Amino acid sequence: MSVPLFQLASDLSVSRLCFGTMTFGEQNTFPETLSLLNEAYRAGINFFDSAGMYPVPQRRDTHGRSEEYLGRWIKDQKIPRNHVILASKVAGPSGQMTWIRGGPNSLDSKNISAAIDSSLLRLSTDYIDLYQIHWPDRYVPMFGETEYDPTKQYSSVPMEEQLDALQKAIENGKIRYIGLSNETPYGLMKFLHLSRNSSLSPKILTIQNAYNLLCRNFDSGLAECCHHERISLLAYSPMAMGILSGKYFSSGGTPPDARLNIFRGRYSEGESRYKLSNPVVKAAVLEYVRIAKNYGISPASLAIAFVLNHPMIASVVFGATKLWQLQEVIEVIDIHLATDIILEINEVHARFPNPCP
């Protein structure tokens, strides 16, 4: 079994499964990380996504470990650099993460340049294949928010300045391509419009937003933008932080090492979106679990296969802390969801639309 590839650009082919590294250095030790990455690589996964702020929940003591572990794996295992596609992200404004460039206060050219250089050092590499703006340097509803509030807008760095910093990084050979993350239709189209009069136009390839059975917001506005502009979606959180496995609503009790149990009260971004106390979330999850069992597949397999089935998704950004979880994800490549299953999924979605936006 080998994970198939998707061609993002003429010289950039990524595996349909992308290993997200945000647990490395927090939930996973380096030896555990090594085992997971080796197994993924053997299965044909060549695409690995990280970020300067990882692992999560973000802490001063662990800041940057995910990138460090990924870089150490490539070096220790003597993986040819051109055999893997590395993606990382620059953190935007955050008053909480004061250990990251002083906040950071903004996502200006100085911050972007400093972030790229720091990521290159931690990854022990000369270049990053896909560099993404982790979240916008402007107010947008995120992580559970659904309505735009114009009174929350603040003075932000012009997109032109951000694009200029990224263009210089490309010219200096530090990054190859650009991606956006947690973006809106307005943000995506504005970046593309501003890039049209420069050599950056063909360099913006992807948008990395959440997409799963409980969050299909992408299909409302961004899908049309991506279709016409030929931007591929990198779908993160395909399992809705593990909720779609059904383990949080199991009659046998929740596993004590489940992420939302371990970090309860410490991971605001996740808990604000994936509210276990919401009865609509529970009702929707139990319906998807029922569908999976009726068709003889695991709930996790159903969740990931559904995301892979989307025509605009280049790669599914998944996480795994255990080898058996990784193997389950890899095996989804061979699962085909028949029309009947999709119809049942859409019927549940019509009753419980996007409970985790």
Side-chain angles (χ1 to χ4, degrees):
M1 179 192 306
S2 183
V3 177
L5 300 178
F6 181 95
Q7 191 169 29
L8 280 176
S10 60
D11 59 348
L12 192 69
S13 294
V14 301
S15 50
R16 293 294 318 280
L17 295 173
C18 173
F19 205 151
T21 65
M22 71 178 189
T23 64
F24 298 168
E26 180 65 61
Q27 285 179 265
N28 291 109
T29 64
F30 181 66
E32 291 169 342
T33 297
L34 206 64
S35 297
L36 288 165
L37 290 173
N38 282 336
E39 184 66 22
Y41 187 64
R42 279 193 291 267
I45 293 175
N46 74 343
F47 194 17
F48 303 92
D49 179 72
S50 196
M53 61 170 266
Y54 290 168
V56 296
Q58 48 272 29
R59 298 191 287 130
R60 183 186 299 273
D61 293 343
T62 58
H63 163 231
R65 276 191 195 166
S66 296
E67 287 183 324
E68 289 173 6
Y69 282 13
L70 185 55
R72 283 177 62 187
W73 167 67
I74 294 171
K75 185 177 180 180
D76 291 359
Q77 301 299 299
K78 296 179 171 57
I79 307 292
R81 178 62 184 85
N82 63 348
H83 285 198
V84 292
I85 305 300
L86 298 183
S88 197
K89 314 180 199 76
V90 54
S94 170
Q96 299 176 348
M97 294 183 290
T98 55
W99 54 88
I100 301 180
R101 305 186 311 279
N105 294 321
S106 68
L107 202 55
D108 57 13
S109 59
K110 181 179 178 181
N111 268 282
I112 291 173
S113 298
I116 291 172
D117 289 342
S118 295
S119 287
L120 289 172
L121 284 173
R122 287 190 292 264
L123 288 165
S124 300
T125 186
D126 295 327
Y127 65 93
I128 297 167
D129 297 283
L130 180 68
Y131 200 67
Q132 304 152 101
I133 295 177
H134 207 155
W135 61 87
D137 184 354
R138 67 182 194 281
Y139 160 71
V140 294
M142 286 191 300
F143 307 126
E145 296 180 322
T146 56
E147 296 182 3
Y148 183 84
D149 182 354
T151 66
K152 293 183 179 180
Q153 179 59 32
Y154 55 85
S155 178
S156 56
V157 174
M159 292 180 182
E160 292 92 334
E161 180 175 343
Q162 297 170 355
L163 285 170
D164 184 59
L166 293 169
Q167 182 167 15
K168 288 178 180 176
I170 290 175
E171 292 170 352
N172 291 330
K174 295 181 178 182
I175 66 174
R176 296 176 63 200
Y177 290 98
I178 299 166
L180 304 173
S181 183
N182 296 302
E183 257 300 357
T184 66
Y186 165 79
L188 172 61
M189 295 306 296
K190 187 71 172 178
F191 269 110
L192 291 174
H193 174 74
L194 292 172
S195 71
R196 283 211 170 92
N197 295 325
S198 72
S199 59
L200 278 182
S201 185
K203 295 295 185 178
I204 301 177
L205 296 181
T206 60
I207 181 169
Q208 185 177 152
N209 278 28
Y211 191 84
N212 55 60
L213 288 167
L214 302 177
C215 176
R216 295 166 63 173
N217 293 13
F218 171 82
D219 293 327
S220 299
L222 273 167
E224 181 184 12
C225 299
C226 289
H227 171 67
H228 290 294
E229 301 295 334
R230 298 186 179 181
I231 298 295
S232 295
L233 174 64
L234 304 179
Y236 78 77
S237 200
M239 290 281 295
M241 283 194 72
I243 293 176
L244 286 165
S245 70
K247 62 186 176 184
Y248 290 100
F249 305 117
S250 171
S251 58
T254 305
D257 61 347
R259 190 188 312 168
L260 288 174
N261 288 337
I262 297 174
F263 303 124
R264 185 171 296 158
R266 293 174 49 201
Y267 189 24
S268 59
E269 294 92 340
E271 291 172 310
S272 63
R273 171 179 277 169
Y274 304 113
K275 298 175 181 176
L276 296 177
S277 60
N278 185 343
V280 177
V281 172
K282 180 177 181 179
V285 169
L286 292 179
E287 283 293 285
Y288 292 127
V289 169
R290 176 188 60 78
I291 292 172
K293 289 181 177 178
N294 285 348
Y295 286 93
I297 59 178
S298 73
S301 297
L302 177 76
I304 294 175
F306 170 77
V307 179
L308 276 169
N309 191 60
H310 198 291
M312 275 175 273
I313 290 177
S315 190
V316 176
V317 185
F318 71 93
T321 58
K322 300 176 179 64
L323 283 171
W324 68 264
Q325 293 173 333
L326 172 60
Q327 195 58 47
E328 185 175 33
V329 172
I330 293 169
E331 290 172 357
V332 173
I333 288 296
D334 291 332
I335 294 177
H336 171 72
L337 297 184
T339 303
D340 289 347
I341 304 179
I342 298 297
L343 289 174
E344 287 194 44
I345 287 173
N346 287 337
E347 189 276 330
V348 174
H349 175 65
R351 284 191 285 139
F352 308 109
N354 301 322
C356 299

